[in-house]
Amino acid sequence: MGLCNPNDNSSYIVKYMNLMGRAGLIRVILHLAGANYKNEFITMDQVAANRSAFPFGHLPVLVETRPDGTTFELAEAIAIEHYLAEKFGILGSTPQDAALYKSVGLNIYFELYVYCFASPTPIQEQIADPSSDFNTKALPHFIKCHEGWLNRNGNNGHYFGSGLTYPDLVMMNWARLLEAFGVKLDEKSPIKKLTVTLAAMEEWKGEYENFHPFNVIEQ
């Protein structure tokens, strides 16, 4: 399993701000697959002034243009990720594979998102407080759970098999976020091995750091 380009001559536009943010993993998948895509940077003020221009009134939005000129527009970050992951061959080969891979990716999101982005207490403060729920409950549970998944696959830097799949990219993205916020991952952790394994992929074409979740894209 690994990224493959269907060579259908489609091109893509990613509509989002000039931050990686919620479009980060969308851009990662497109880049690693060697897809023909470009960014269309849109500010939050532009969205607020014309919400009806977007399917659900917010970003990100993906627009795919097929060779015959027809277009396909898709909104909601995770839905876009799932669509691209399936199209580029990293969501398994059966409905069961796809469901399982999505479940792992969604668990990563659900376990971390509230603490990192929806808590009244900034995540940096939670990390700095040894007695916080994040440090005493959420993070240990998260690490134990996902190290278990990775160890059951032989601790080879992947969740499933010996090649790249969608949940690998989700974990890579969130592990980079956690470390940027101040979490110290054990260098011997299977999660750390996953990030190191993915960082070494040739498909980055030397641009791994340009796709850090906190990166700002030059306009």
Side-chain angles (χ1 to χ4, degrees):
M1 181 65 64
L3 281 157
C4 62
N5 194 318
N7 295 317
D8 60 1
N9 294 315
S10 287
S11 61
Y12 305 86
I13 296 174
V14 179
K15 297 184 178 183
Y16 196 65
M17 297 172 287
N18 67 322
L19 311 172
M20 292 300 282
R22 295 175 63 236
L25 200 49
I26 296 167
R27 292 173 175 138
V28 165
I29 295 171
L30 290 167
H31 175 76
L32 293 178
N36 176 17
Y37 87 98
K38 65 180 181 179
N39 293 300
E40 181 179 323
F41 299 127
I42 300 172
T43 67
M44 295 309 296
D45 286 344
Q46 289 173 312
V47 173
N50 189 18
R51 290 193 181 278
S52 63
F54 310 98
F56 300 113
H58 56 247
L59 302 172
V61 172
L62 178 77
V63 179
E64 177 181 358
T65 301
R66 305 181 183 95
D68 63 3
T70 59
T71 60
F72 171 61
E73 185 177 59
L74 186 62
E76 295 298 342
I78 296 177
I80 298 170
E81 292 172 14
H82 289 175
Y83 171 69
L84 294 175
E86 181 176 7
K87 184 165 188 178
F88 293 120
I90 54 171
L91 206 54
S93 58
T94 69
Q96 291 77 18
D97 286 343
L100 184 60
Y101 295 5
K102 288 177 185 177
S103 75
V104 175
L106 286 169
N107 178 263
I108 297 169
Y109 278 111
F110 294 155
E111 292 292 329
L112 297 176
Y113 183 86
V114 171
Y115 288 96
C116 291
F117 298 110
S119 171
T121 304
I123 184 61
Q124 293 88 345
E125 293 183 19
Q126 298 177 64
I127 292 169
D129 179 3
S131 64
S132 69
D133 280 351
F134 180 76
N135 279 326
T136 60
K137 298 177 182 178
L139 186 61
H141 169 76
F142 176 82
I143 290 175
K144 181 180 179 180
C145 176
H146 285 275
E147 286 185 343
W149 278 86
L150 292 164
N151 279 326
R152 285 192 291 275
N153 192 48
N155 190 21
N156 66 352
H158 300 287
Y159 273 98
F160 300 99
S162 59
L164 181 71
T165 59
Y166 170 68
D168 294 345
L169 290 175
V170 178
M171 176 55 82
M172 175 205 73
N173 204 52
W174 279 92
R176 297 182 85 182
L177 274 170
L178 289 175
E179 291 188 312
F181 283 135
V183 171
K184 304 296 185 183
L185 293 173
D186 188 331
E187 291 297 321
K188 297 181 179 179
S189 167
I191 295 174
K192 190 69 175 180
K193 182 168 184 177
L194 180 149
T195 63
V196 171
T197 299
L198 267 60
M201 290 172 52
E202 293 182 358
E203 289 86 348
W204 291 107
K205 298 176 183 176
E207 295 191 49
Y208 177 71
E209 291 303 328
N210 292 337
F211 287 87
H212 190 279
F214 282 167
N215 193 41
V216 176
I217 304 171
E218 294 296 329
Q219 300 193 46

